[in-house]
Amino acid sequence: MDEPKIPNGNLPLRVNQLDAEASDEFIHEIILEKLRDVLKYLQLSNIFTSYQLEVDAAIKFGLWWVVFRKQHSTLGQQLLDLEYTSVRPGAKTLSAITRVQSLLYLICNVVTPYLWARLRKLQAIRSFSDFNPHLDKLITILQTTWQYVNLLNFVTFLYNGQFLHVYERICGMRSFHPKGKQLREVGFEFSNREIMWHGFTEFMTFLLPYINMRKVKTMFTFSSAKSSDGSKFCKECDSYPTNPTRVADCSHIYCYHCAASLVTTDGALECKACNVKITSLGNLERAQHLISLVDV
């Protein structure tokens, strides 16, 4: 028997149905993450680890009880102005889904996945071959068959835009726009901004290792005479030297870190006072006459 047809103005786009499913999964993950944080702060995280399947099923049941049972749509569908309608064969007009269809949705979308996941977990812990040598093989065949059925259903959905999930066919219900198809406006400002920012950060990550930041800093740093006796200050950082070090060839004073970093990174130290070049750390010696002044 033919099923009632949805008017063209109320037919949902395929992308809207896929977005609604993605939104439902995202909302479920958010609730799961918040619950995990609560249990962690209450020092009950072991409960979440031990009963993860039960917690997951409880969240799905709660969403069904609070949202789907009353409004005949998921949270993701509500964000896109979608709703389920009954398309049972033999019906002449569209109508709201019945209580039986709502319970079928609960069984197909919550109870059955939980039982199957529990069965697979039990099989991973202990093989069923001890009880029946053909049971493990049967479970594998059922799993493979179900995956092929889902694949075939999805290909059919891409072709005609009907029944995104197998359980929608089983329950006899489809998504539609109760208020008519809305204009779908897609903005790319956020995506463009993210693409530009990621491109800029990747470029800077590539470029920065090739830039000598010490030389750049030196170019924009202006020395200031802090004392009439300039010989007491480091010629590189223009401050009182830490671990005072004297250049043997010209007797000017540097911080050991400043001098050693110049020789190590640039291969040579060019004295700012007299342009003498030092290429080895062996040409540096401690300035004994300044150590007591720095300590004080």
Side-chain angles (χ1 to χ4, degrees), residues 14 154-162:
R14 295 171 180 81
F154 186 71
V155 173
T156 305
F157 165 77
L158 294 179
Y159 175 74
N160 57 24
Q162 302 177 13

Side-chain angles (χ1 to χ4, degrees), residues 13 15-16 19 80 183-192:
L13 298 174
V15 66
N16 283 356
D19 285 347
L80 295 170
L183 179 63
R184 181 180 175 89
E185 297 181 359
V186 181
F188 297 97
E189 292 82 3
F190 178 77
S191 299
N192 293 337

Side-chain angles (χ1 to χ4, degrees), residues 282-296:
N283 294 329
L284 303 176
E285 56 185 23
R286 301 190 69 184
Q288 299 290 342
H289 68 287
L290 290 179
I291 293 178
S292 58
L293 294 177
V294 174
D295 292 340
V296 171

Side-chain angles (χ1 to χ4, degrees), residues 248-295:
D249 295 347
C250 63
S251 300
H252 288 119
I253 305 299
Y254 285 84
C255 300
Y256 178 79
H257 173 74
C258 294
S261 61
L262 289 171
V263 175
T264 303
T265 58
D266 298 342
L269 183 156
E270 184 175 352
C271 182
K272 291 186 176 182
C274 59
N275 296 328
V276 172
K277 287 188 176 182
I278 304 300
T279 59
S280 174
L281 296 178
N283 294 329
L284 303 176
E285 56 185 23
R286 301 190 69 184
Q288 299 290 342
H289 68 287
L290 290 179
I291 293 178
S292 58
L293 294 177
V294 174
D295 292 340

Side-chain angles (χ1 to χ4, degrees), residues 70-109:
K70 298 179 180 179
Q71 303 181 20
H72 304 156
S73 60
T74 64
L75 289 175
Q77 287 179 321
Q78 292 179 20
L79 292 174
L80 295 170
D81 191 29
L82 291 174
E83 186 178 313
Y84 276 123
T85 182
S86 177
V87 289
R88 292 174 297 173
K92 296 181 179 181
T93 59
L94 298 176
S95 60
I97 62 175
T98 63
R99 181 177 299 179
V100 174
Q101 288 175 308
S102 180
L103 291 175
L104 280 175
Y105 175 87
L106 174 66
I107 294 172
C108 295
N109 198 42

Side-chain angles (χ1 to χ4, degrees), residues 122-123 125-136:
L122 184 62
Q123 183 188 20
I125 298 175
R126 181 177 181 181
S127 176
F128 295 139
S129 58
D130 298 338
F131 305 98
N132 190 328
H134 302 290
L135 192 55
D136 283 339

Side-chain angles (χ1 to χ4, degrees), residues 136-155:
D136 283 339
K137 186 177 181 179
L138 177 61
I139 293 176
T140 303
I141 293 175
L142 290 175
Q143 177 75 17
T144 305
T145 304
W146 179 249
Q147 291 175 352
Y148 279 117
V149 170
N150 279 325
L151 176 60
L152 179 61
N153 181 81
F154 186 71
V155 173

